[in-house]
Amino acid sequence: MATIDTAYGYYLSTYASKSASRYDTHKKSELRNIYNTIVKINKESPLYKIQNTGDVQRFAIDIKENARNIKNVVASLSDDDDITKAFQKKIAFSTQEDIVTANYIGTSQQAENINSFEIEVRQLAQPQVNLGSFLAKDHLDLRPDTYAFDLSTNSAAYEFQFTVAPTDSNYDVQEKIANLITNSGINLQSSVIEDSQGRSAIRIESVNTGRNVGEEYLFNITPQGNHNSMTALNVLGIDRIVEPSQNAEFLLDGKERSSFTNTFSINNAFELTLHSISEEGNPATIGFKANVDAIADNIQTLVDSYNDIIETSDKYSESQPQSALLYHDMSSAAFTLQNDLEAVGLMVESNGEIYVDKALLADAVDTEHPDESFSVLNDFKNLLDKKATTASLDPMKYVDKIIVVYKNPNKTLVTPYITSIYSGMMMDRYC
């Protein structure tokens, strides 16, 4: 279990906070193709084992996630069959990014009929916060016993039970309850905080923000119908709402609008994220960047995703010598096309990383006949996609391993249920 915790702990702390995009979803035919490819890889792969160290796990996870990022960027630049238009994917901008940021999520066809608009933020969406009573940390204000309370949301009800031992302090009890709520999986985060006098209290915050008209709360804590339960809540005070949840409120081209969250979409074309309150009468303008600027940003995003995986191979070069293979596979996408790339402003450095000369790139694409330049960029995008696909399907290809036995080349067996040693690494310490 400790091994699983190590792998998942690193994954959750490093990558889980990143939101999924529409390019993380796939058609059945695409999933079937991935499955068949993995089966083929396992059919021909020798039996091997890897050293069970956190470094191996982190390296494999970094490869997998960097490769996924490359493929998502490539997919976002492949929505249009016209390669010229693909790199001209619209990029949204905000005139007040400290107030609101914008991301264009629509299609190229939609963008042709969209004009800029204004947004004035009047209120941010907020979660509900309950704050319990501050108690002396080293004392015990509840007698040893088993206690319970009810917690209800607008869709479900739950019962929480906890035990107070004779050796517990108020702080021990508060920590028990905070962990109980946080680990319950009902979109609540709880912690124990201290005041200036060194006393402690339970703080409970909803993950969700906003609420529907007529709803009084996102969660409500009440005692059960017995003396023990009422006594516990009176002492702990966790049923007290100190910050009610609220919706985001804003003016969209002068019209009042609201949202449950601070991130929302407008007409399935723009994804807006609110960060702060606007100065009254000073709305932010949301629109599109000029074509040349949009192209430069799209290319920079592609280059950044490529550079990330090159940096990953360098990061693990000492602890994972096989990372040289990852470097060779990925950097070959740049070195193979180096002369053509540099002619359009993508300068390939000696270590394989790329930096974008935006002036040279602008000259290459802002012409009457930019097809040749876009063809080079498209070739690089497609080659990088192939390299990332290989790394994504079998990230364990690049970690140091010990070959146990090669399969009989005349009689190989399909192992459809062992999709990858990567999965085994995440689930079994004896991988």
Side-chain angles (χ1 to χ4, degrees):
M1 182 60 71
T3 303
I4 296 175
D5 287 346
T6 300
Y8 276 108
Y10 178 74
Y11 172 79
L12 292 173
S13 63
T14 309
Y15 296 104
S17 61
K18 297 181 179 180
S19 60
S21 73
R22 61 190 175 102
Y23 302 107
D24 287 307
T25 60
H26 302 279
K27 300 176 182 176
K28 287 184 179 179
S29 59
E30 294 173 324
L31 296 175
R32 189 179 300 111
N33 182 59
I34 292 172
Y35 167 81
N36 291 334
T37 304
I38 291 176
V39 168
K40 184 175 184 296
I41 290 173
N42 282 296
K43 181 179 179 181
E44 299 174 353
S45 173
L47 177 65
Y48 62 83
K49 62 181 181 179
I50 62 174
Q51 291 184 331
N52 189 30
T53 67
D55 210 29
V56 169
Q57 296 169 337
R58 289 191 293 270
F59 183 40
I61 291 171
D62 285 348
I63 294 171
K64 185 81 168 180
E65 291 303 309
N66 282 325
R68 183 174 72 91
N69 184 44
I70 290 174
K71 291 189 65 63
N72 282 354
V73 171
V74 169
S76 73
L77 297 176
S78 305
D79 284 340
D80 203 303
D81 293 333
D82 185 340
I83 61 174
T84 301
K85 291 182 179 179
F87 287 98
Q88 292 178 329
K89 187 183 78 167
K90 293 295 186 180
I91 301 291
F93 79 93
S94 166
T95 57
Q96 298 178 33
E97 296 214 331
D98 57 328
I99 303 296
V100 55
T101 52
N103 179 36
Y104 183 64
I105 57 175
T107 64
S108 300
Q109 290 79 6
Q110 280 180 281
E112 294 176 1
N113 301 315
I114 294 177
N115 297 318
S116 61
F117 59 91
E118 294 183 337
I119 179 170
E120 182 178 328
V121 183
R122 291 184 165 180
Q123 177 176 281
L124 296 179
Q126 300 288 351
Q128 176 180 324
V129 176
N130 281 28
L131 183 61
S133 303
F134 283 96
L135 307 175
K137 293 173 60 177
D138 298 329
H139 294 167
L140 181 59
D141 291 340
L142 288 173
R143 64 181 177 83
D145 205 341
T146 297
Y147 297 86
F149 61 86
D150 293 327
L151 189 154
S152 60
T153 67
N154 291 304
S155 59
Y158 308 89
E159 178 184 303
F160 288 87
Q161 292 185 351
F162 63 97
T163 300
V164 177
T167 56
D168 283 339
S169 64
N170 286 330
Y171 187 80
D172 294 330
V173 173
Q174 289 168 332
E175 278 208 317
K176 284 182 186 179
I177 297 171
N179 290 333
L180 190 64
I181 293 173
T182 297
N183 297 330
S184 63
I186 57 174
N187 284 336
L188 297 177
Q189 295 293 325
S190 184
S191 61
V192 180
I193 63 173
E194 295 184 24
D195 64 6
S196 59
Q197 300 177 42
R199 299 176 303 173
S200 57
I202 300 173
R203 184 181 187 275
I204 309 170
E205 179 176 324
S206 64
V207 173
N208 296 331
T209 56
R211 63 181 188 272
N212 286 310
V213 175
E215 291 180 348
E216 297 181 4
Y217 51 79
L218 289 181
F219 65 93
N220 187 38
I221 297 175
T222 56
Q224 297 187 338
N226 58 68
H227 178 72
N228 259 12
S229 181
M230 289 184 282
T231 298
L233 281 195
N234 284 336
V235 171
L236 297 168
I238 56 176
D239 54 337
R240 185 171 65 252
I241 299 175
V242 293
E243 295 179 22
S245 62
Q246 60 185 28
N247 297 335
E249 296 180 359
F250 51 93
L251 297 179
L252 198 65
D253 280 340
K255 296 181 180 178
E256 293 185 355
R257 295 286 187 270
S258 66
S259 168
F260 294 144
T261 65
N262 289 315
T263 297
F264 50 88
S265 63
I266 301 294
N267 297 328
N268 292 321
F270 290 91
E271 181 182 77
L272 303 184
T273 299
L274 309 183
H275 302 287
S276 187
I277 307 299
S278 300
E279 179 184 339
E280 187 174 355
N282 184 25
T285 299
I286 307 297
F288 291 122
K289 291 188 176 182
N291 274 356
V292 171
D293 291 335
I295 293 169
D297 282 1
N298 286 325
I299 296 301
Q300 188 65 61
T301 301
L302 181 65
V303 166
D304 287 346
S305 68
Y306 162 80
N307 285 342
D308 284 345
I309 205 164
I310 295 297
E311 290 172 4
T312 293
S313 68
D314 179 66
K315 175 182 175 182
Y316 293 94
S317 59
E318 292 187 7
S319 62
Q320 296 293 319
Q322 194 71 2
S323 65
L325 178 59
L326 174 66
Y327 170 80
H328 177 270
D329 283 358
M330 301 308 302
S331 63
S332 65
F335 287 128
T336 299
L337 300 170
Q338 182 171 359
N339 292 335
D340 292 335
L341 290 174
E342 292 186 345
V344 297
L346 273 64
M347 316 309 291
V348 183
E349 299 182 300
S350 59
N351 65 353
E353 293 187 20
I354 296 174
Y355 76 88
V356 180
D357 184 328
K358 292 190 176 182
L360 189 54
L361 176 63
D363 289 340
V365 299
D366 193 19
T367 65
E368 292 183 4
H369 304 287
D371 294 359
E372 185 175 343
S373 298
F374 282 117
S375 179
V376 171
L377 296 171
N378 197 59
D379 289 343
F380 174 62
K381 180 195 72 174
N382 292 338
L383 183 55
L384 188 57
D385 185 44
K386 290 180 181 178
K387 302 292 184 181
T389 297
T390 299
S392 176
L393 287 173
D394 188 15
M396 307 309 290
K397 171 184 177 181
Y398 303 103
V399 304
D400 289 343
K401 58 183 74 72
I402 299 173
I403 303 296
V404 176
V405 63
Y406 287 98
K407 292 183 178 179
N408 184 342
N410 298 317
K411 190 177 181 181
T412 56
L413 300 176
V414 176
T415 52
Y417 298 106
I418 308 175
T419 56
S420 171
I421 296 298
Y422 178 87
S423 301
M425 176 199 73
M426 298 291 276
M427 297 302 295
D428 187 350
R429 68 175 302 167
Y430 297 108
C431 60

